[in-house]
Amino acid sequence: MNQISSQPPIQTDDQNIARSVIRTTTSDQAAALRESFLVIEDGAILLDARLRVMLCNIPATIRLGHYGAPPSRGYPLTKLIAHSSALDADARTTVLDRCSAMSASDLAGIEARLVFGDIVIRIRRLALGRLLLWVPASRAAGESSLHDPLTGLGNRRVFQAALAAIFTKPNASAALLMIDLDRFKQVNDTLGHPVGDALLRLVGQRLRACLSQEDVVVRLGGDEFAVLLQHLDGVDALGKRLIDLLSRPYLVEGHLANIGASIGIAVAPSDAHDPSTLMRHADLALYDAKAAGRHCIRFFKSELNARAQARLALETDLRRATALNQFALYYQPLVDIASGRVTEFEALLRWQHPSRGIVSPAEFIPLAEELGLIVPIGEWVLRHACRTAATWPADVRVAVNVSPMQFSDSKRLICAVADALTTSGLPGSRLEIEITESVLMHNNAETLETLHALRALGVSIAMDDFGTGYSSLSQLRSFPFDKVKIDRSFVSQIDGKGGSGREVVRAIAALGSNLGMTVTVEGIETDAQADFVETSGGHQMQGYLISHPVPSDMVSALFSPQSPIASAPNPEPVAPAGSRRLRGHDHEK
Amino acid sequence: MKNNFYRAVYCSRCELIGSPETITAELQSILATSRRNNRPAGLTGALLFANNCFAQTLEGEREAVERCFERIQIDPRHSDVTVLEFGPAVERDFTEWSMAFVGDPSATSPDPLAVALFKDIFADNHADSGAKVLLLLRQLVHQEDLWAIA
C-alpha cells in the first residue's frame, strides 16, 4: 500500500491519473475505506456535507470523463462536475442541484437516481449530510448496486462506504448493531421462500420504522441485518426496542409468523478504530448473544476475543485430529436383561489431544457439526467400529451414533455405511445405527427414505435419547424403529420417593414393546435403578453400574462366557449370567 | 375473492400513561386514524379497551388486513401483542363499523369480563381466546353504543 500523501497533489499529469490511487485521505484509519473503494469497479465518490470530495475512485473519474488532476480530498464537487466531459450542461446543473438539496436536509429524500443517456448516477445520503455518489459501470448494474432488491434497504456496499466514512474522522463515535433473526429458517422451511421473502421485507420496514433517516440500515444477506449509528446515545434502549419490535407477530401472506432477533453491538472508538475490527467485534458480540440463548443483546467485550481465539485454536486442532490419529473409540456394553448377557456395545468417540488431554464430546461434537467436520469424523467412526466389531463373537453387535448432519447428504451416508460393512466384512445385521429425534425434525420424507435404505443393508435403527427435545410419541410411529433407548434423565428420576421417572420408563417400555421394538434403558448407575429397570418391561440396560466405556482392547474381557468367539480364543469367564457388574479379569478383586 | 376475506383478532397491553382525559384523547386519535385508514381499505372491525389492554378484530381483504396489522404493530403505544386468530373468514361481523369501539378509559373499576378474558390470554391459555374475544366484541358492540367515544 502506498503511503498516503497528506498534501493534495500540486500538479499531476495524465499519466498520474492511471497509476494514482485515491489521493484523498489523511489518516491511516482511512486505509480500509480506500481499499473498499479500490475493489469497486463502479465509480464511487464520497462527499462531505460541504460537497467536497472525501474520496473518489478512478472508475468514477473515467465514467464521468473527468479530465485534469484526479480529485483529491477537499476538491469541490462543482469543479469535479464542471470538468466531467461525459455530462452536458443540463446534467451538470441537475447533479449539483440535487446534491446540494440532499446534503442540506433529508427532506429532499435520502436517495436519488439520475439518468443521463447511458450514465446513471445514484446518490445516497449518509449521516451528517455526507453523500455517496455511485456511477455504475453499466446502467443495469446501477439498479442493484446500492440496494438490497428484496427489502429496499441499503446493501453491503452502502454499508461499507458508510462504515468507512465514519473512520475518516479520528475518534468518531459510532455504534454497529449486527442483527440476526431467530427461527427465520424454520419459517422459511415450513411456509416457503415467498413467505420468507415477504417476511424479510416486513422486517426491513420495522427496522426502518424505529430509526432516523441519519441511521444506516442494511441487509447484509440472508436474515442478517446491520444498523450503523453515528452516536452512542441510547444504543442499549434502541437495541431492546428493535428486539421487541422484530419479535412481535407478523401476518404475512395469510400466515401468522413468529420470529425473534439477536443483536450484537460494538462501538467506536472504544471497541475499534477501523471498519473491519468494528464489524468483527460486533459479529463476536452477536455470536455471544446467540450462544446466550438468542433473543437478547450483547455488547462486545474483550473476553469475546479471547474466547474466539480459543475456539479458533480448538477448530484448528479438530481439523488435524483425524490425520494425527487422535480419535479413539471406546465401547460401552449393553446387557440383555432376561439373560444377563452382553449382546451389544455402543461405540463412543473420544478425542485424545496431546496437550488438551481427553476432550469431551460435548465440547467438540457441536463444533464439528458447525464446521461440517462431523461428516468425515462420523465416517471414520463407522469404519473403525465395524472393523473392531468384526473381531467380536458373532452374536455381539455394535451400535454407532450418526449425527443429524450426516443425514443431510443421504447418499454419502448410505455409501459410508455400505463401505464400512463391506470393508470390515461385518454383516449388516450386527450394526445398529443410533439416531436422535432431531434427525426426524428436518426433511422428513427424505430422512425416512434414508432410514429405509439403511435398513435394506440389514442394519437396524435405534432411536436414541428418547423423551428429550421435541419428542413426541408420533415420532416412534413415523418409522418402524428396531429399538428405542429411553433417555438417561428419566432413569435418574427413578430414585427417591415420588420419582416420576418410573411411570415414564414403564410407559415408554410398554409402548415400545407393543410396537415391536427392543427397549433399552440408559444411564443405569445404581442398584436401585437396575432393580427397577429389571421389572419395568425394558429389554436391555446400559450404564456405569454395568461398565464404563472401555477401550477396544479391553472389550473382550467383557464378553459373556458363552459367546462363541469368531477369531479369538475364549476369554476367562468374568461375568456370570445374571450378574450386573462386568469387570475385566485384570480388575477383578 | 371469497377466499381472500380474512379476519385477525389480537390483544395487546396499552402503553399509554396519563390521566383518563389524556388516555381518552389518545384513544380518540387512534380511532380517528384507524377509521380514516380503514374505510378506503375496505376494513371493518372493533376495538375493546379495558383493564389497560386492547383487544381488536380486523376484517377485510387479506392484503389490507396484513398492511393494517403491520402499521398497528410498529405503534409504540402498545406492547405484548398476541395474535389470537388469523385466517379466512366467512363474513363480516362488524359491517357497520370501520372501527367500532367499546371501553371506558375513565372507568374506576375494570370490566370484570375483560379482566377474566385478558388474564387468560396473557397467561398463555388462549386456545379458544380468539373466539371468546370475538364473541365479547360482537355482544358489546351490538348491544349498545353507550360506551362509544367519538
Side-chain angles (χ1 to χ4, degrees):
Chain A
M1 183 75 32
N2 298 340
Q3 194 61 42
I4 305 157
S5 160
S6 60
Q7 296 295 317
I10 300 158
Q11 202 69 45
T12 326
D13 57 32
D14 282 354
Q15 282 175 322
N16 267 354
I17 298 176
R19 59 182 169 81
S20 167
V21 187
I22 312 155
R23 254 183 230 220
T24 46
T25 49
T26 53
S27 89
D28 280 350
Q29 293 161 353
L33 172 59
R34 288 190 336 135
E35 243 169 284
S36 71
F37 262 59
L38 278 171
V39 297
I40 296 169
E41 67 275 26
D42 298 330
I45 303 167
L46 186 65
L47 302 169
D48 66 15
R50 290 157 60 217
L51 299 184
R52 287 166 189 276
V53 169
M54 295 171 77
L55 284 171
C56 173
N57 69 358
I58 297 293
T61 62
I62 294 170
R63 194 78 189 118
L64 293 174
H66 183 266
Y67 51 90
S72 54
R73 190 184 175 85
Y75 193 76
L77 177 70
T78 45
K79 275 195 192 168
L80 191 156
I81 294 296
H83 291 112
S84 292
S85 57
L87 300 175
D88 62 20
D90 281 351
R92 288 174 193 175
T93 316
T94 309
V95 172
L96 290 175
D97 286 353
R98 186 59 70 93
C99 286
S100 21
M102 284 178 66
S103 170
S105 143
D106 57 20
L107 293 175
I110 57 161
E111 284 184 2
R113 176 171 172 273
L114 308 174
V115 183
F116 311 107
D118 62 349
I119 293 186
V120 177
I121 302 180
R122 299 181 69 93
I123 309 170
R124 189 173 170 113
R125 186 177 204 269
L126 304 173
L128 310 175
R130 289 168 181 165
L131 298 181
L132 176 64
L133 268 62
W134 203 266
V135 196
S138 71
R139 267 185 77 164
E143 299 310 314
S144 59
S145 57
L146 290 177
H147 270 125
D148 166 41
L150 185 63
T151 59
L153 298 177
N155 62 11
R156 206 173 262 277
R157 283 177 163 171
V158 166
F159 179 60
Q160 277 166 349
L163 200 55
I166 286 170
F167 287 99
T168 54
K169 211 170 83 185
N171 293 318
S173 305
L176 172 57
L177 290 78
M178 290 287 201
I179 304 165
D180 198 73
L181 302 181
D182 305 336
R183 294 185 306 280
F184 174 75
K185 197 183 169 311
Q186 284 94 314
V187 172
N188 216 24
D189 288 350
T190 34
L191 302 179
H193 292 289
V195 178
D197 286 355
L199 182 58
L200 289 174
R201 272 193 288 275
L202 293 181
V203 167
Q205 284 173 25
R206 288 191 187 182
L207 283 173
R208 197 67 266 180
C210 338
L211 300 166
S212 75
Q213 291 281 22
E214 294 278 289
D215 304 329
V216 176
V217 52
V218 299
R219 174 169 169 253
L220 296 173
D223 57 350
E224 235 193 317
F225 295 81
V227 169
L228 186 59
L229 308 175
Q230 301 277 315
H231 57 81
L232 303 179
D233 317 321
V235 174
D236 195 23
L238 175 72
K240 288 196 177 107
R241 172 144 173 71
L242 290 177
I243 289 188
D244 170 42
L245 212 52
L246 295 181
S247 307
R248 293 183 181 190
Y250 298 77
L251 299 187
V252 54
E253 307 280 312
H255 300 278
L256 167 65
N258 282 293
I259 54 171
S262 306
I263 300 185
I265 304 176
V267 297
S270 63
D271 295 338
H273 292 283
D274 63 84
S276 61
T277 309
L278 188 67
M279 269 183 83
R280 196 164 49 80
H281 287 178
D283 264 335
L284 285 177
L286 174 61
Y287 193 84
D288 192 38
K290 289 195 216 168
R294 301 178 165 268
H295 199 74
C296 60
I297 303 171
R298 283 290 183 276
F299 279 86
F300 171 77
K301 35 188 201 291
S302 48
E303 300 99 273
L304 293 182
N305 244 338
R307 215 183 297 168
Q309 269 157 22
R311 207 189 99 98
L312 190 66
L314 184 66
E315 178 183 334
T316 312
D317 286 352
L318 187 58
R319 287 185 188 281
R320 290 184 193 140
T322 321
L324 296 177
N325 239 338
Q326 290 169 348
F327 287 123
L329 289 180
Y330 276 48
Y331 297 87
Q332 189 174 33
L334 281 73
V335 168
D336 179 67
I337 290 174
S339 68
R341 289 164 50 107
V342 172
T343 51
E344 186 172 354
F345 287 86
E346 179 178 356
L348 296 160
L349 185 60
R350 295 284 180 270
W351 177 16
Q352 293 156 322
H353 187 268
S355 55
R356 295 175 188 274
I358 293 194
V359 186
S360 153
E363 196 179 335
F364 74 85
I365 295 287
L367 182 62
E369 289 188 325
E370 199 179 311
L371 300 172
L373 288 173
I374 196 70
V375 176
I377 293 175
E379 290 168 354
W380 181 91
V381 172
L382 274 166
R383 276 197 306 276
H384 282 255
C386 288
R387 195 193 299 165
T388 304
T391 66
W392 298 345
D395 61 349
V396 180
R397 293 148 44 90
V398 67
V400 174
N401 294 281
V402 169
S403 155
M405 269 204 67
Q406 290 176 266
F407 275 84
S408 54
D409 187 347
S410 51
K411 272 197 192 125
R412 183 166 172 176
L413 174 61
I414 295 164
C415 281
V417 172
D419 284 352
L421 291 174
T422 318
T423 317
S424 63
L426 188 76
S429 59
R430 288 179 57 199
L431 173 63
E432 184 161 78
I433 298 287
E434 293 192 8
I435 62 166
T436 53
E437 289 161 292
S438 56
V439 168
L440 291 172
M441 293 295 293
H442 318 290
N443 217 343
N444 226 308
E446 202 190 328
T447 304
L448 292 180
E449 212 174 289
T450 311
L451 291 176
H452 282 289
L454 291 172
R455 176 71 75 64
L457 296 170
V459 173
S460 54
I461 310 288
M463 161 75 85
D464 201 4
D465 302 338
F466 184 75
T468 56
Y470 300 93
S471 91
S472 74
L473 296 175
S474 67
Q475 301 246 16
L476 279 186
R477 291 207 338 240
S478 62
F479 181 78
F481 286 96
D482 299 283
K483 176 186 283 186
V484 56
K485 297 183 84 172
I486 302 175
D487 189 69
R488 59 187 67 243
S489 59
F490 298 113
V491 176
S492 63
Q493 290 163 27
I494 283 173
D495 296 324
K497 47 179 187 273
S500 61
R502 290 170 181 264
E503 281 65 42
V504 178
V505 171
R506 275 200 202 99
I508 301 177
L511 179 81
S513 302
N514 287 338
L515 291 169
M517 300 172 189
T518 302
V519 176
T520 303
V521 187
E522 290 182 272
I524 307 291
E525 293 180 4
T526 67
D527 282 310
Q529 288 168 350
D531 288 342
F532 165 73
V533 168
E534 280 175 355
T535 60
S536 67
H539 305 113
Q540 284 186 327
M541 57 177 158
Q542 178 182 1
Y544 290 171
L545 180 70
I546 298 150
S547 168
H548 282 257
V550 298
S552 60
D553 54 2
M554 286 171 66
V555 165
S556 62
L558 300 177
F559 292 142
S560 302
Q562 294 89 342
S563 299
I565 299 295
S567 56
N570 243 8
E572 292 292 309
V574 290
S579 142
R580 283 171 192 148
R581 235 173 279 265
L582 302 175
R583 294 174 292 253
H585 57 279
D586 48 342
H587 291 151
E588 219 166 11
K589 286 177 193 158
Chain B
M1 180 61 214
K2 182 174 102 217
N3 291 341
N4 202 30
F5 185 75
Y6 272 63
R7 177 187 299 118
V9 183
Y10 78 88
C11 286
S12 62
R13 277 185 216 280
C14 175
E15 294 289 337
L16 294 172
I17 28 176
S19 63
E21 292 74 33
T22 322
I23 293 182
T24 305
E26 276 285 354
L27 287 174
Q28 276 172 332
S29 125
I30 290 173
L31 276 174
T33 314
S34 121
R35 286 173 181 163
R36 195 172 55 238
N37 290 332
N38 289 355
R39 221 182 304 272
L43 288 170
T44 52
L47 175 67
L48 166 72
F49 175 77
N51 199 27
N52 214 33
C53 293
F54 294 108
Q56 187 172 30
T57 170
L58 283 169
E59 43 192 33
E61 276 187 30
R62 179 174 68 72
E63 292 81 358
V65 172
E66 288 177 358
R67 261 197 304 277
C68 177
F69 179 79
E70 195 53 34
R71 209 167 41 234
I72 294 167
Q73 279 296 53
I74 56 178
D75 197 318
R77 291 174 291 192
H78 68 161
S79 65
D80 278 355
V81 182
T82 309
V83 175
L84 305 171
E85 187 188 312
F86 177 56
V90 183
E91 54 177 11
R92 285 190 196 272
D93 272 307
F94 301 93
T95 44
E96 306 290 308
W97 290 95
S98 57
M99 191 46 64
F101 178 81
V102 279
D104 181 3
S106 56
T108 44
S109 60
D111 182 343
L113 205 68
V115 171
L117 185 73
F118 287 126
K119 208 179 105 201
D120 263 12
I121 290 166
F122 289 115
D124 270 352
N125 302 322
H126 49 258
D128 60 344
S129 310
K132 274 192 203 158
V133 167
L134 203 56
L135 188 69
L136 178 70
L137 283 171
R138 223 180 271 154
Q139 284 168 349
L140 291 174
V141 171
H142 290 177
Q143 184 186 53
E144 51 182 339
D145 297 19
L146 274 181
W147 288 357
I149 315 179

